[in-house]
Amino acid sequence: MALTGVLLLLILFMRLLQQVKQYWRRRVLNRWRPQLMAGLYEHPESLPPLFRFDLPDFLELWNHLHQSLGDEARGSLNRIAVMARVPAAVSRMMRQKNFDRRLVAVRTAGNLRLAATWDVLRELLEDKSPGLSLEACLALVRIDSTRAVPLLMTHLCLREDWPPQRVTEMLREAGAAQLALPLVKVVEEASAKNACRLMRYLVEIAPAEAEPLIAGQLANPSDDCLLIVSLQALTDRAELEALRQLSQHTNWHVRVHAASALGRLGTPDDAVLLAGMLSDSQWWVRYRAARALSRLPGMTTQELRHIKDIQTDRYARDMLHQVMAELDFLAGAAHG
Amino acid sequence: MAEDILRLDPTLGYVPGPVPADQAEGLSTDGTPLLLQHDQTFASLPPPPPTPGPDFDLEQALASLHNTLTDAVPLLQWFLLLYFVVFNGSYIVFNLMSLFSLLRYRREQALVILLEDEACDEIPISLIVPVVCSQASAAVAAVHAMLRLDYAEFEIIIVNDGSWDETQEALMREFALAPFPEAYRDRLQTKPVKSIYASTTYPNLRLVDKENGGKADALNAGINCARYPLYCSVEVDFVLLRDSLRQMGQPFIGNPATVAACSAVRPASGCVVKEGFVNKVGLPGNMLALLQITEQLRTYPPGLAWWSDKNAMLVLPGAFTVFRKEAVVAAGAYRTDVEDAEMEMVVRLHRLLRQAGEPYRITLVPEPVCWEPVPETMNALKNQHVRRQRSLKVSLALNRQLLFSRRGGVVGGLSFPLVLLFECFGPLIEFLGYVVMTALWLSGAISLQTFGSFMLLAIGMGMLLSVSGLVREEMTLRTYPGLGSVLKLFAVALLENLGYRQLTAFWRLLGQQRWILRNEAK
């Protein structure tokens, strides 16, 4: 009973704490938002003192503005931060135990490009939390992208827990020009398991540099996953012959992507090959082959109907019938 | 009693008949003690014939039972006390452990969701919506809301499970559904599919018209039609959030080995629903609905976040679950003889993937992403508890090979036995505990003090468990805003241990009994 009472007190305390935090946050925002906005247009000679308790809320506001404004405004924000002695405070906060404080400090260090925090950020790169580790990597990239590339490549291989969309964003920020070649090297040297994931990053940020690797995979496939990524990214018609060969691959996932790629890059001559794929044992291969047929250059509804009529396989005919109906429905929805 | 004892005559041997009262007590007629064993005449007699069995003596039997019970009472007391302490105590510990898992999850999730506008990595999801009779207006409203979900790519497959009223016509009219020549894949066996329709206005909406076969059969037909790698079953009375699919799809992006992501369905009563989505979360006015909220905080998620961390989350009754389609097809589709077929599927996936030694993950999405109306009458509530308990038993019984299996890992070695002990046999022991202790006290076998101590411990720990669930909710999700809501929940958390919890234990016991009866009938 006493413990239950203690828990009630805990709940009340947490609610109270939350309200105090909200009040404090509103107070900090009301105080600093006008100062920061004014600082974007004029150089303030002095600023109100930034108290220790105000720092996390202030930094959140500062980071929010930093990420949503342009380069010129960022310069003004950085000036204000230096005047408010943020760099020294950030260095201290990065060594604290509180996760949220460390995180906001890391983000601020990156936005401020604080070279003095490089070593601490390198340590944080190894943190167990994928979020904090990725944020530290992003800060390093912002501080000195050239120096950060080797670290980034190493951790790109090691950290499978980094969320892919955030990694892609970071790689774009680091710049394709300086990342492309190291990334190609990393993909070439990576294990089959990692290569597939890294290849996706490569085709996302530097598709031109990925082309030789894609061609190599189509000619001499080393791994089905890598081959599938290559097929998804394939844009070079010079690889058509290799692509046609893959329509007979033993792995049906590869055949599905080969059919899709043929729909994107194929010529009218590929109609026969795709019509053959309509009788594949896998539903998805038949479906993608039918869609690819409908996308071939010069393909008309009459031609599709003719291909359907000459099919002896019921599954092939049904699939083509479905895809033709889908196209009709799509056209109807587009006009309706 | 003395009349029934055989009379012994030293000269004539055994004389059947009543014994004089004085001799029956071991005395001769003159009052001297009878020394039968030392009597030479007696020693020379032939062995006695077998004695006829005495007639049943109720008083003696009761006395003997009383003696046995008196001996067993301390043991029973200790067993029940220990069970209540271990049961409630372990749930409180799991609550604490899951608190840390939840805090860590929320911290990381906040960082992942930062770039939510970038939908390039979202895995397409098929929403399977089984509909039956009398659901016309609810189904139309639900599908309208689903079409506005905030997700990059999804399709809606309505499965008309043999409804014969205006439900299908209403859907066809509202969404301009027309016959569609789908190359139907019958990978999973279902009742015959009559026809398939597609919407001419919404390219991502289809309707499968099939013969009635129950929810599981409808889901199997929906899976046959699903085009996307992930799918979920959505009831027409579910209320989702705009970003529900995004939250449910996140674990599949983060870990490609994820085969299922489950989220507890929250009670929708009291929430403000606008255009099919939860606009504001609130508490219901109905006491039964309120009790169900605290019951859910106490029972369903305790430790689930921790179990999920260990990839050992076994059961979450009535959950909103997103599955990886190929994993389910490989597992052999839903069983049509199980009421909560999705719960059974989760247990089956654990069993099969553990046996195969394949890397996999079944994870919990702690955020409330789905809401549904809860029973607000005693009868409906009773039926729900009975149904859920039966489903739990069936799910565990069908996958009993997982229990202590060589490759079972944490699921087979810890999670399964604990669920079996606390969730399956729990209601029986809990209910018997209250009944037996009350009976012992009424019969005078235990003192009022002992009985009071037991009740205080059982109810007190129950209250502690209920409140600890509330604290966990407060520290992590904070679903119900406002201090008033929290205080109300606190009061209900205390109240639910004074009758409601015992009643639900009894209902769950009924569910268990019906499962046994059904098995025997089979």
Side-chain angles (χ1 to χ4, degrees):
Chain A
M1 285 297 170
L3 271 174
T4 310
V6 169
L7 289 182
L8 173 65
L9 288 178
L10 182 64
I11 291 173
L12 292 175
F13 174 72
M14 284 189 302
R15 280 279 162 168
L16 186 70
L17 194 67
Q18 187 205 6
Q19 285 186 351
V20 169
K21 272 185 181 172
Q22 280 175 353
Y23 165 77
W24 199 267
R25 185 180 162 78
R26 273 199 306 273
R27 193 175 150 272
V28 171
L29 295 186
N30 289 340
R31 191 176 180 195
W32 281 100
R33 191 182 279 125
Q35 296 282 345
L36 292 176
M37 295 310 282
L40 297 177
Y41 305 104
E42 56 196 40
H43 296 288
E45 287 184 3
S46 64
L47 289 171
L50 179 60
F51 298 112
R52 197 160 59 94
F53 289 116
D54 296 350
L55 205 55
D57 292 325
F58 168 82
L59 290 181
E60 268 188 33
L61 172 67
W62 186 88
N63 281 315
H64 173 72
L65 291 174
H66 206 279
Q67 277 158 9
S68 46
L69 297 174
D71 281 344
E72 201 180 328
R74 284 177 183 166
S76 305
L77 284 173
N78 288 359
R79 226 176 6 253
I80 295 172
V82 172
M83 279 180 74
R85 296 179 187 166
V86 167
V90 161
S91 299
R92 276 198 306 276
M93 276 172 78
M94 277 204 284
R95 294 181 189 282
Q96 288 180 354
K97 283 197 172 173
N98 184 296
F99 181 86
D100 292 333
R101 282 174 169 250
R102 269 192 299 166
L103 186 69
V104 77
V106 167
R107 203 170 284 161
T108 313
N111 286 334
L112 266 176
R113 288 162 169 72
L114 283 179
T117 56
W118 183 272
D119 292 335
V120 188
L121 288 170
R122 270 195 70 166
E123 282 173 31
L124 289 175
L125 205 52
E126 315 294 337
D127 197 273
K128 267 199 293 187
S129 156
L132 186 60
S133 155
L134 184 64
E135 204 66 46
C137 191
L138 183 60
L140 288 170
V141 165
R142 283 177 179 162
I143 292 168
D144 186 345
S145 57
T146 315
R147 201 174 154 202
V149 167
L151 286 172
L152 176 59
M153 290 302 135
T154 312
H155 285 79
L156 217 49
C157 292
L158 295 174
R159 299 298 298 234
E160 290 175 40
D161 55 355
W162 281 356
Q165 73 257 40
R166 297 216 65 209
V167 173
T168 312
E169 170 89 350
M170 179 174 65
L171 295 177
R172 284 207 191 102
E173 196 170 329
Q178 61 176 335
L179 280 183
L181 289 178
L183 199 50
V184 167
K185 201 173 164 220
V186 167
V187 174
E188 284 173 339
E189 289 169 1
S191 62
K193 188 177 144 205
N194 276 335
C196 189
R197 184 169 53 90
L198 296 169
M199 183 74 164
R200 285 185 203 280
Y201 295 135
L202 181 64
V203 297
E204 192 70 42
I205 65 153
E209 279 76 5
E211 274 179 13
L213 284 182
I214 292 172
Q217 273 304 312
L218 293 183
N220 297 303
S222 60
D223 173 65
D224 284 355
C225 178
L226 209 50
L227 185 56
I228 287 169
V229 177
S230 303
L231 285 170
Q232 285 172 326
L234 184 66
T235 51
D236 190 357
R237 285 181 200 277
E239 303 301 330
L240 258 176
E241 204 42 56
L243 179 59
R244 288 176 186 132
Q245 299 294 322
L246 289 170
S247 66
Q248 308 297 322
H249 200 277
T250 49
N251 183 337
W252 70 266
H253 291 96
V254 175
R255 296 203 298 278
V256 166
H257 291 282
S260 297
L262 274 173
R264 282 198 315 272
L265 308 168
T267 64
D269 295 341
D270 290 311
V272 179
L273 180 65
L274 287 169
M277 291 176 86
L278 286 173
S279 300
D280 197 284
S281 60
Q282 286 294 328
W283 190 94
W284 275 106
V285 180
R286 298 202 294 276
Y287 179 70
R288 289 293 170 205
R291 292 294 295 217
L293 261 177
S294 72
R295 291 179 68 183
L296 283 181
M299 184 57 72
T300 60
T301 313
Q302 285 77 17
E303 184 69 17
L304 274 178
R305 192 166 294 123
H306 172 68
I307 295 172
K308 188 188 92 176
D309 291 341
I310 60 169
Q311 295 301 315
T312 50
D313 181 39
R314 182 173 70 87
Y315 293 103
R317 229 176 17 246
D318 287 353
M319 185 52 80
L320 214 45
H321 191 190
Q322 173 185 324
V323 167
M324 287 168 71
E326 267 179 27
L327 296 174
D328 281 350
F329 271 62
L330 278 175
H335 292 125
Chain B
M1 189 161 39
E3 282 82 2
D4 295 333
I5 300 174
L6 290 175
R7 196 177 61 182
L8 189 67
D9 187 307
T11 50
L12 298 174
Y14 294 96
V15 181
V19 177
D22 49 0
Q23 286 188 19
E25 290 180 359
L27 300 170
S28 64
T29 45
D30 58 0
T32 55
L34 288 167
L35 298 169
L36 299 178
Q37 282 85 350
H38 304 289
D39 192 324
Q40 291 304 309
T41 321
F42 174 75
S44 63
L45 284 174
T51 54
D55 293 343
F56 178 72
D57 184 343
L58 182 65
E59 263 184 62
Q60 197 180 23
L62 278 175
S64 154
L65 180 68
H66 182 262
N67 288 343
T68 316
L69 278 180
T70 311
D71 292 343
V73 162
L75 271 179
L76 198 62
Q77 259 176 271
W78 278 110
F79 170 74
L80 290 172
L81 270 175
L82 196 69
Y83 180 82
F84 274 79
V85 169
V86 171
F87 173 76
N88 290 303
S90 56
Y91 268 32
I92 291 168
V93 171
F94 286 139
N95 252 339
L96 270 177
M97 291 196 297
S98 76
L99 179 67
F100 296 111
S101 300
L102 278 172
L103 287 171
R104 194 167 51 246
Y105 169 86
R106 279 185 70 81
R107 202 175 66 189
E108 298 300 335
Q109 198 64 5
L111 292 167
V112 171
I113 300 285
L114 274 178
L115 298 177
E116 63 180 21
D117 293 336
E118 285 214 0
C120 57
D121 287 325
E122 286 177 356
I123 303 172
I125 300 182
S126 303
L127 281 83
I128 303 173
V129 190
V131 290
V132 287
C133 285
S134 322
Q135 287 189 320
S137 58
V140 166
V143 173
H144 269 304
M146 282 177 227
L147 284 166
R148 290 197 301 272
L149 281 168
D150 190 8
Y151 199 69
E153 198 173 349
F154 66 95
E155 62 173 357
I156 300 167
I157 301 166
I158 306 166
V159 185
N160 177 30
D161 191 30
S163 79
W164 60 85
D165 61 355
E166 77 286 356
T167 306
Q168 184 170 327
E169 280 70 36
L171 286 162
M172 289 179 67
R173 213 172 33 245
E174 187 69 24
F175 300 106
L177 292 161
F180 181 73
E182 172 122 354
Y184 181 73
R185 274 189 300 175
D186 51 354
R187 294 205 292 174
L188 308 176
Q189 287 292 304
T190 64
K191 293 272 177 172
V193 170
K194 291 191 262 187
S195 48
I196 295 174
Y197 301 85
S199 170
T200 52
T201 44
Y202 303 99
N204 60 340
L205 177 62
R206 278 176 295 156
L207 185 144
V208 181
D209 184 20
K210 65 179 276 291
E211 286 179 13
N212 179 260
K215 187 187 165 188
D217 196 59
L219 289 180
N220 287 337
I223 294 169
N224 281 341
C225 277
R227 302 264 176 91
Y228 294 145
L230 307 181
Y231 79 88
C232 60
S233 152
V234 187
E235 300 280 336
V236 291
D237 55 357
F238 275 6
V239 186
L240 300 172
L241 301 175
R242 269 189 200 277
D243 66 343
S244 288
L245 293 186
R246 179 167 286 162
Q247 301 214 38
M248 295 300 289
Q250 196 60 47
F252 294 88
I253 304 170
N255 187 347
T258 304
V259 294
C262 316
S263 178
V265 177
R266 300 294 183 114
S269 322
C271 295
V272 180
V273 178
K274 198 175 170 188
E275 294 176 345
F277 295 108
V278 172
N279 196 34
K280 194 179 168 195
V281 178
L283 288 179
N286 182 289
M287 190 60 187
L288 273 184
L290 270 173
L291 285 166
Q292 285 169 80
I293 292 177
T294 50
E295 183 191 7
Q296 197 183 53
L297 292 177
R298 168 173 57 85
T299 55
Y300 293 149
L304 275 187
W306 184 78
W307 289 114
S308 169
D309 257 7
K310 305 285 166 235
N311 197 24
M313 186 181 62
L314 197 61
V315 287
L316 183 54
F320 176 57
T321 309
V322 173
F323 287 98
R324 195 175 284 281
K325 188 178 68 186
E326 289 309 315
V328 171
V329 172
Y334 292 109
R335 290 181 67 107
T336 49
D337 55 349
V338 183
E339 276 162 304
D340 193 343
E342 290 192 274
M343 180 162 73
E344 193 277 327
M345 177 54 72
V346 170
V347 185
R348 198 187 327 164
L349 284 173
H350 270 301
R351 174 171 63 84
L352 295 176
L353 293 167
R354 290 265 170 190
Q355 276 173 359
E358 283 178 29
Y360 77 99
R361 184 146 185 81
I362 294 176
T363 192
L364 173 79
V365 176
E367 274 93 359
V369 296
C370 181
W371 312 71
E372 73 170 338
V374 291
E376 294 192 354
T377 62
M378 289 295 264
N379 203 32
L381 188 60
K382 174 190 156 193
N383 289 339
Q384 189 195 57
H385 277 84
V386 169
R387 217 170 34 241
R388 283 190 173 169
Q389 187 66 15
R390 207 164 48 206
S391 297
L392 177 74
K393 292 286 286 187
V394 175
S395 302
L396 296 183
L398 287 172
N399 297 286
R400 57 188 174 277
Q401 298 94 323
L402 185 59
L403 182 66
F404 298 124
S405 65
R406 197 166 53 84
R407 286 181 155 180
V410 188
V411 194
L414 194 63
S415 179
F416 200 115
L418 284 181
V419 169
L420 200 64
L421 182 66
F422 293 146
E423 296 296 330
C424 274
F425 298 120
L428 176 72
I429 302 173
E430 191 176 349
F431 186 73
L432 278 183
Y434 291 117
V435 171
V436 167
M437 291 301 272
T438 310
L440 287 176
W441 169 56
L442 290 176
S443 67
I446 57 170
S447 66
L448 177 63
Q449 199 181 7
T450 311
F451 176 67
S453 307
F454 169 79
M455 293 304 271
L456 205 64
L457 184 91
I459 292 172
M461 283 201 82
M463 285 177 173
L464 194 62
L465 174 60
S466 303
V467 175
S468 74
L470 186 60
V471 171
R472 188 204 58 235
E473 178 82 1
E474 268 297 290
M475 289 180 83
T476 53
L477 305 173
R478 205 167 277 163
T479 311
Y480 299 97
L483 185 62
S485 300
V486 180
L487 290 177
K488 199 171 174 181
L489 280 178
F490 180 82
V492 178
L494 298 184
L495 271 179
E496 73 146 346
N497 288 281
L498 303 171
Y500 178 78
R501 187 175 166 177
Q502 292 75 9
L503 188 64
T504 56
F506 174 65
W507 287 337
R508 289 168 70 192
L509 197 59
L510 280 183
Q512 207 152 319
Q513 182 214 12
R514 284 182 195 175
W515 174 74
I516 294 166
L517 289 178
R518 185 181 280 192
N519 269 9
E520 278 177 4
K522 275 183 187 170

